[in-house]
Amino acid sequence: MQLKADSGKDPEVLAQQMWRVTELLDAMGMLTIRAVQRAREDVIRRQQQELFELSTSVVKLWDGILALPMIGTQDSEPTQYVMESLLKRIVETGSDIAIIDITGVPTVDTLIAQHLLKTVTAIRLVGAECIISGSRPQIAQTIVHFGIDLEGVATRSTLADALILGAKQLRLVVAIRG
């Protein structure tokens, strides 16, 4: 009503004013949509980070033995974070053995295999030994197919077997029931 009164009886002026109002409302709508979209993306990013941190936490299994159970598909940025977390915990705890358990990793590609080797090297550089556990037949075949050399790296098929090996390396007495 106000636009009609402001434009007088000139339909062209009324149409221009209506067009300006429409453009203003469209711009406000787009601004609102973008703000909601950014807020949702921030929530998703935060949830992904929290989920990632939960799925890659370093666990102290025994005095001197840490484990990193890896879960899900890995890519370069998170695996860098994982390596840093593991190395930090090795230094903080003075652990001599780090077990990387890949049971929960569905596939290994060349990037992940190379990162695994870099992590093993970094673990050794901070004065600990690494045991890789949880390699299933298809992952073992993939690693061999890519020509990744794990010579000198202890491997075990299960986390339990890796823990037993780690305990032996630390000369701990482990009683196994069963």
Side-chain angles (χ1 to χ4, degrees), residues 78-112:
T79 51
Q80 181 64 34
Y81 172 82
V82 167
M83 181 167 68
E84 290 171 8
S85 296
L86 179 58
L87 295 174
K88 182 179 174 187
R89 288 279 292 168
I90 289 169
V91 171
E92 286 173 355
T93 62
S95 294
D96 295 311
I97 306 289
I99 300 170
I100 300 176
D101 183 58
I102 60 173
T103 304
V105 177
T107 59
V108 172
D109 61 13
T110 52
L111 205 61
I112 299 304

Side-chain angles (χ1 to χ4, degrees), residues 82-170:
V82 167
M83 181 167 68
E84 290 171 8
S85 296
L86 179 58
L87 295 174
K88 182 179 174 187
R89 288 279 292 168
I90 289 169
V91 171
E92 286 173 355
T93 62
S95 294
D96 295 311
I97 306 289
I99 300 170
I100 300 176
D101 183 58
I102 60 173
T103 304
V105 177
T107 59
V108 172
D109 61 13
T110 52
L111 205 61
I112 299 304
Q114 289 296 334
H115 189 75
L116 201 55
L117 279 178
K118 287 178 184 178
T119 303
V120 169
T121 302
I123 289 168
R124 288 179 174 161
L125 287 172
V126 296
E129 285 301 316
C130 183
I131 302 169
I132 298 174
S133 67
S135 180
R136 296 178 311 285
Q138 60 271 37
I139 289 179
Q141 288 174 339
T142 301
I143 290 172
V144 169
H145 175 75
F146 289 144
I148 305 299
D149 183 13
L150 291 177
E151 188 174 330
V153 179
T155 59
R156 292 294 180 266
S157 60
T158 67
L159 180 58
D161 290 340
L163 177 58
I164 291 168
L165 176 61
K168 284 179 184 176
Q169 288 178 351
L170 295 179

Side-chain angles (χ1 to χ4, degrees), residues 9-10 19 23 25 28 37 39 44 47 60 75 81 88 100 113 115 122-123 129 137 141 151 154 162 165 167 172:
K9 302 245 182 208
D10 188 351
W19 184 252
E23 285 179 328
L25 289 173
M28 289 175 22
Q37 183 179 4
I44 291 168
Q47 288 174 337
K60 182 177 178 180
D75 61 29
Y81 172 82
K88 182 179 174 187
I100 300 176
H115 189 75
I123 289 168
E129 285 301 316
Q141 288 174 339
E151 188 174 330
L165 176 61
L172 299 173

